Each structure stands twice: as C-alpha cells, then as structure tokens.
Amino acid sequence: MTSQTNGQFDRTPLIAGNWKMNMDHAQAITLLQKLAWTLDDAKHDYSRAEVAVFPPFTDLRSVQSLVDGDDLRVVYGAQDLSDQDSGAYTGDISGQFLAKLGCTYVLVGHSERRTVHGESDELCNAKIAAAHRHGLVPVLCVGEGLEVRQAGEHVAFTLEQLRGSIAGLEADRVAELVVAYEPVWAIGTGEVAGPEDAQEMAAAIRAELAGLYDDGTASKTRILYGGSAKAANAGSILKGKDVDGVLVGGASLDAEEFASIARFEQHLVTD
Ligand SMILES: O=C(CO)COP(=O)(O)O
C-alpha cells in the first residue's frame, strides 16, 4: 500500500471488519452484498478509505465469488493462518490456501488467539513470515489487558508485543504492515479507549518503528485502533494523527453501521 495524502491523512485509512466466529457462508453473502450496496448508494470513494472484511474461513470461497462476480471494491482477509505451509497440522489453514482464495490481508495475533489459544509473540512472528511467503499483508494485533492498563504499563507491554512479533522483519515489510492496537479491556465490552488513548498508543508504536527502522519506513505503516469502535465514535478516534483506521468487531456485523464507519469523514470531529 503506497502512502498518500487524503485530506488530513498521510496514509490511506483502512476500515476493517472482523466478523469473528459469526456468519455462515450464506449469511456472509447477504451481509457483504448489503455492505457493498450501502457503500455504493453513498458513493463511497474507496481511495479515501479502504474497506476490508475478515469473515470465518468457511465463508471465504463465497466471499471471493461475490467480490469477483460483482466486481466489488471491498477487499477481504482471514482471521488467522498457520505458521506452516502444508503437512500434518490438523485443523490449521495455510497462507497458501488464503492467497488462492484472493485474500489481501490476514489477522495475526488477535487477542482472542493470544488469550484463548495461548499464541505467543514468537508464534505471531512465524505467522507473519508465513503470510509474507504467500503474498498476504499481515494485520498484527497488539494490546494490553485491564490489569496492565491499570498498572500504567500499557505502552511498555504493547511495544514489547510489537517488537517480539516483528523481530527480523525487513523495512519494506514493515512499511506495508498494518498494526492494530486493540486494548483487550475495550473489546466487546462497550468500553472504548478514548481518542487520546488510541492516539497515544499509535504514536508510541510509530515512534518505536522509527527507532527500529527509520522515519520513512515508520511513516508508511498503518496503525488501527480496535475495541468497541462504532459509527458514533469513529470520527473522534480517527482524528488522532497516527491513527489510520479501525478494526471493528461487533459493529461490522451490521452493514449500515459498518458502512457508516467507513464513511467516517462525515463524523470527523474537528476543533
Ligand atoms: O476485537 C475486535 C476487532 O478485532 C473488537 O471487537 P469489538 O468491536 O466487538 O469490541
């Protein structure tokens, strides 16, 4: 993704919907059709905000057929991938299969993978490498739990996850990487980190990347916020100059609400 100037944005904003374990393949078609129609009706300019959905694995073939058949501009990705490419890994999904299904992106290290499935930074690092082997752009999720936040350790904790997950990555990979800051205490709880919290962490992530690489590389990486994002708060969240989009869970299951988030410029809060 090349960086471009979109009004106040230095990078093309990414509005991403993580459907989690919701929507079977038939429901996925209905939701995606409605999303595309709603965006079309609103004359959404995809060059001003890229729109991506992350359905369950079993929906991806149907999503691919719809996107290809109807020439949709919405892009899509998977919610996880294996760090291996093929072999005796029952239940796992290779990045190769995802690439063949037309995925652009893949989530890596979502907090539900880290907490429910015990995924480590080391494994995320290997999954990022696997994504790259198959031409997928990883969306690396990082973020702290409530206790860490209350102890005031959230920046240090999140940056450690970041460093561990991207260790050894080349600069051009970092430039195209998407990092999603998702404070665990704000996921699915209705608690939203304030716009200042989102900007604070996005700036810290960018500064960390600038230290590890250089400003030119760090200024290209897109950094998203996730955690109870919805149309009513997207405008203020996206006001942060280092915040380049949102990773939306629950609200992405409602086509009109998600389309409204994608059209966040209508709700941009200006001083
Ligand atoms: O985990 C999330 C997106 O990946 C956020 O989920 P909610 O928007 O439902 O809080």
Side-chain angles (χ1 to χ4, degrees):
M1 181 60 54
T2 51
S3 81
Q4 68 181 73
T5 301
N6 268 342
Q8 67 164 10
F9 294 98
D10 297 329
R11 297 158 288 274
T12 305
L14 174 60
I15 308 302
N18 174 10
W19 294 359
K20 308 193 178 183
M21 197 172 72
N22 297 292
M23 302 287 151
D24 63 34
H25 73 281
Q27 294 168 321
I29 296 285
T30 309
L31 176 58
L32 183 53
Q33 267 171 338
K34 188 164 181 203
L35 174 64
W37 289 333
T38 309
L39 288 168
D40 274 2
D41 281 352
K43 304 211 174 339
H44 180 64
D45 179 351
Y46 287 86
S47 71
R48 294 189 72 80
E50 189 181 3
V51 181
V53 293
F54 293 80
F57 290 128
T58 49
D59 299 0
L60 289 171
R61 176 64 176 147
S62 307
V63 165
Q64 179 187 38
S65 300
L66 180 61
V67 167
D68 288 355
D70 288 7
D71 241 341
L72 303 187
R73 301 280 308 276
V74 176
V75 296
Y76 54 93
Q79 298 173 14
D80 185 33
L81 82 167
S82 173
D83 63 326
Q84 304 294 322
D85 294 339
S86 66
Y89 301 100
T90 302
D92 286 346
I93 300 289
S94 167
Q96 185 203 329
F97 308 158
L98 302 177
K100 192 115 189 187
L101 285 166
C103 289
T104 302
Y105 296 106
V106 62
L107 300 184
V108 172
H110 189 279
S111 66
E112 288 144 23
R113 302 294 316 171
R114 292 178 186 266
T115 53
V116 182
H117 299 277
E119 295 194 2
S120 63
D121 295 338
E122 196 182 18
L123 181 60
C124 292
N125 186 257
K127 289 188 173 194
I128 288 176
H132 287 147
R133 286 197 296 278
H134 301 292
L136 302 164
V137 175
V139 176
L140 171 68
C141 303
V142 291
E144 82 287 354
L146 187 58
E147 280 177 18
V148 174
R149 162 71 53 167
Q150 284 171 339
E153 303 288 333
H154 51 288
V155 173
F157 178 93
T158 301
L159 295 184
E160 194 179 323
Q161 279 186 331
L162 175 76
R163 281 191 299 271
S165 304
I166 65 168
L169 226 57
E170 287 174 9
D172 54 343
R173 296 300 199 179
V174 172
E176 68 169 21
L177 182 73
V178 181
V179 179
Y181 168 55
E182 297 207 310
V184 179
W185 49 272
I187 294 179
T189 59
E191 289 286 330
V192 192
E196 304 76 22
D197 297 322
Q199 168 56 25
E200 176 201 36
M201 191 65 79
I205 290 170
R206 202 174 304 286
E208 182 72 18
L209 293 176
L212 292 171
Y213 295 87
D214 59 32
D215 289 349
T217 299
S219 70
K220 293 192 177 118
T221 307
R222 288 184 294 174
I223 303 173
L224 316 184
Y225 165 78
S228 299
K230 47 183 181 281
N233 56 32
S236 49
I237 292 167
L238 282 151
K239 204 181 146 209
K241 76 177 177 51
D242 290 293
V243 181
D244 307 310
V246 278
L247 180 55
V248 184
S252 71
L253 301 174
D254 177 328
E256 281 177 16
E257 178 76 11
F258 188 57
S260 179
I261 298 172
R263 304 196 33 76
F264 66 91
E265 284 181 290
Q266 306 167 96
H267 327 287
L268 265 189
V269 180
T270 46
D271 293 325

